[in-house]
Amino acid sequence: MKMWSGRVSQPLNANFERWQRSFRFDWRLLPYECVASRAHARALAAAGILSSGELDQIVNALQALEGRVAPGAAPGEPSDAEDVHHFVEQQLVAMIGEGGYKLHTGRSRNEQVATDLRLFTRDAIDELRAQLFALAGALCDRAEQLGETAMPSYTHLQRAEPILAAHWLLAYPQMFLRDAGRLAECRKRVNVLPLGSGAVAGCSFPLDRRAMARELGFDAISANSMDAVSDRDFEIEFLNALALVAVHLSRMAEDFVLYCSVEFGFVLLPDAFATGSSAMPQKKNPDAMELLRGKAGHIAGAASAVLLTVKGLPLTYNRDLQETQEPLFAAADATRDALRIAADFLRAVEFDCDRMHQAAASGFLNATAAANYLVRKGMPFRRAHEVVGRMVRKCLEQGCTLESLSAAERGEFSELLGEDFPAALELGCVIAEHNVAGGTAPRQVKAALAEVRASLQQLQEASFAHA
Ligand code: ARG
């Protein structure tokens, strides 16, 4: 039986009937629908609307239903349910008879779906935060293993200054920790209970909303029933946070795509994450990283889809809001899978440290250090820049390096270029010079690594206590 059969006299157009159903995707809300329904049943009983016998029957039936469906799997039984709310009602009635209908007293699917979606999003946030921490942890491990291996940094994708490879890898946990912070912020606004809002105007029975909130782990109850049944800000905020996660993953993936090419050769693609070409037998392609890069389009698209669905909707509930579910589920799934692949890839990837070192030691990456040498001897940087620029030009003509110029050759450029000049241009020296907090000097990188690990530890403990 439809949940609204009294009002209409004709059956639905068969195509429309199929088309408007949401059970095909909203079965994923089933565990949330069950716990939220249980809280509602208890509130009805406390308000004297259900007898304690009726309450027991309903609670037991909901528990049985929850237990019957494997977590994360669609319910096995064939169903003509319109949506997950209808499905639960059908199952209850099948289990306990007429009493099953009593659950739908003083409530509306409008508040139910808002509640279920908040519970889903809250769980997704907790899971994704744990995955962000795991990925950041994997990056820390690899950074630590790289020790003092040097590599070039890039600006404009041109070689810039030499850095520690660990410094490069440790840039990413910063992004992922910000992402986790954004999700934690978003969680505060997600964790507000809509139940008790009724269809639009608030429940007509004296339900204890705070008791329902406590039971379901919500920190607060919504303040306005009209807002509560029509608000999807929390989805949009969550999806935008995911879009940034995906963008960060795409940038990291792109670094790996570049660095595993022969042109860079810093990274050895693990066989377990590479594919071949059906046409070119010699090829090994970084598909894992390319797909990771590509996911950003799909995930950011979900954020736009929901934002545009909500735009211009009159208050309050409108069926359009059903369209926000699929992008929400798809983006949460895609982000979860992408984070898992990224962490697995990072654990498996190998680095060609010699090649990185060579690239950092050539190509005049110590030119800035040469100018800084002159600055320390008293020359204004602008002049020093000019002098070193001319020196580089000469070296390019002669096919030599700045540090291999003889004392006499150096002397033609500036008498400030002393005996200690070649030593100051050694790779280790150049890197160690960047000795400010956040810089690439080995002691700074070591401190940064320890700091990231400490934050991770703290965050993991805090979210464990939370869950
Ligand atoms: N499947 C619906 C949705 O996702 C549930 C709410 C239906 N409410 C209604 N008044 N038709 O939005």
Side-chain angles (χ1 to χ4, degrees), residues 4 20-23 25-26 29 82-85 108-114 117 199 232 317-325:
W4 37 265
Q20 54 98 37
R21 287 162 174 269
S22 54
F23 194 54
F25 49 84
D26 73 8
L29 298 174
E82 185 175 312
D83 57 24
V84 66
H85 321 290
S108 153
R109 285 185 292 167
N110 301 350
E111 58 177 344
Q112 285 169 251
V113 70
L117 288 170
R232 293 295 183 275
Y317 178 84
N318 298 274
R319 190 67 181 275
D320 316 43
L321 292 175
Q322 182 171 295
E323 289 295 307
T324 68
Q325 293 193 28

Side-chain angles (χ1 to χ4, degrees), residues 114 118-119 121-122 125 181-194 218-222 227 231-238 241:
R118 283 175 184 269
L119 289 168
T121 305
R122 188 177 76 186
I125 286 176
R182 253 183 294 276
L183 286 170
E185 268 303 309
C186 171
R187 193 188 195 280
K188 293 183 198 163
R189 285 175 285 277
V190 168
N191 209 23
V192 177
L193 174 79
F218 284 105
D219 295 324
I221 57 174
S222 54
D227 178 43
D231 170 33
R232 293 295 183 275
D233 290 7
F234 67 93
E235 288 183 40
I236 295 168
E237 199 179 340
F238 171 66

Side-chain angles (χ1 to χ4, degrees), residues 389-430:
R390 277 190 281 117
M391 289 169 77
V392 168
R393 193 143 33 100
K394 180 177 173 98
C395 290
L396 283 171
E397 279 161 20
Q398 291 189 355
C400 68
T401 62
L402 288 170
E403 55 275 30
S404 65
L405 290 173
S406 69
E409 285 169 320
R410 288 198 304 265
E412 287 171 30
F413 293 95
S414 164
E415 68 259 26
L416 296 177
L417 294 165
E419 290 300 311
D420 53 351
F421 181 69
L425 293 199
E426 273 170 24
L427 185 54
C429 238
V430 174

Side-chain angles (χ1 to χ4, degrees), residues 129-364:
R129 274 171 51 85
Q131 283 191 294
L132 285 164
F133 298 150
L135 175 56
L139 283 155
C140 286
D141 293 344
R142 300 316 306 266
E144 188 163 9
Q145 284 165 7
L146 281 169
E148 297 197 6
T149 301
M151 71 179 285
S153 63
Y154 294 83
T155 64
H156 312 268
L157 201 53
Q158 305 290 325
R159 285 187 194 176
E161 292 183 278
I163 51 164
L164 291 190
H167 195 52
W168 160 57
L169 281 186
L170 286 175
Y172 287 103
Q174 296 299 328
M175 299 174 217
F176 297 130
L177 285 175
R178 287 199 296 276
D179 289 331
R182 253 183 294 276
L183 286 170
E185 268 303 309
C186 171
R187 193 188 195 280
K188 293 183 198 163
R189 285 175 285 277
V190 168
N191 209 23
V192 177
L193 174 79
L195 281 190
S197 298
V200 49
C203 182
S204 317
F205 300 96
L207 300 189
D208 185 345
R209 297 190 64 209
R210 289 185 208 284
M212 289 195 280
R214 269 195 305 280
E215 177 168 347
L216 295 170
F218 284 105
D219 295 324
I221 57 174
S222 54
N224 179 296
S225 63
M226 296 178 72
D227 178 43
V229 295
S230 63
D231 170 33
R232 293 295 183 275
D233 290 7
F234 67 93
E235 288 183 40
I236 295 168
E237 199 179 340
F238 171 66
L239 289 171
N240 277 291
L242 296 195
L244 256 182
V245 171
V247 163
H248 291 151
L249 285 172
S250 79
R251 297 187 72 177
M252 187 176 81
E254 171 62 2
D255 272 357
F256 279 98
V257 169
L258 286 172
Y259 293 169
C260 76
S261 68
V262 174
E263 282 70 13
F264 285 82
F266 300 160
V267 163
L268 304 170
L269 207 51
D271 281 354
F273 287 93
T275 59
S277 156
S278 57
M280 297 165 280
Q282 86 284 8
K283 288 203 71 175
K284 197 168 147 184
N285 295 326
D287 293 33
M289 291 298 101
E290 292 170 282
L291 284 169
L292 207 54
R293 193 175 58 189
K295 290 293 171 192
H298 166 189
I299 295 167
S304 304
V306 174
L307 184 69
L308 293 180
T309 301
V310 174
K311 183 206 167 286
L313 287 184
L315 287 188
T316 58
Y317 178 84
N318 298 274
R319 190 67 181 275
D320 316 43
L321 292 175
Q322 182 171 295
E323 289 295 307
T324 68
Q325 293 193 28
E326 282 173 292
L328 176 72
F329 299 149
D333 289 347
T335 309
R336 191 192 49 230
D337 294 346
L339 284 169
R340 186 181 305 138
I341 294 290
D344 285 352
F345 176 87
L346 268 160
R347 291 184 192 108
V349 78
E350 282 181 59
F351 298 96
D352 187 337
C353 295
D354 292 340
R355 174 96 184 191
M356 282 174 152
H357 183 94
Q358 256 171 36
S362 57
F364 301 99

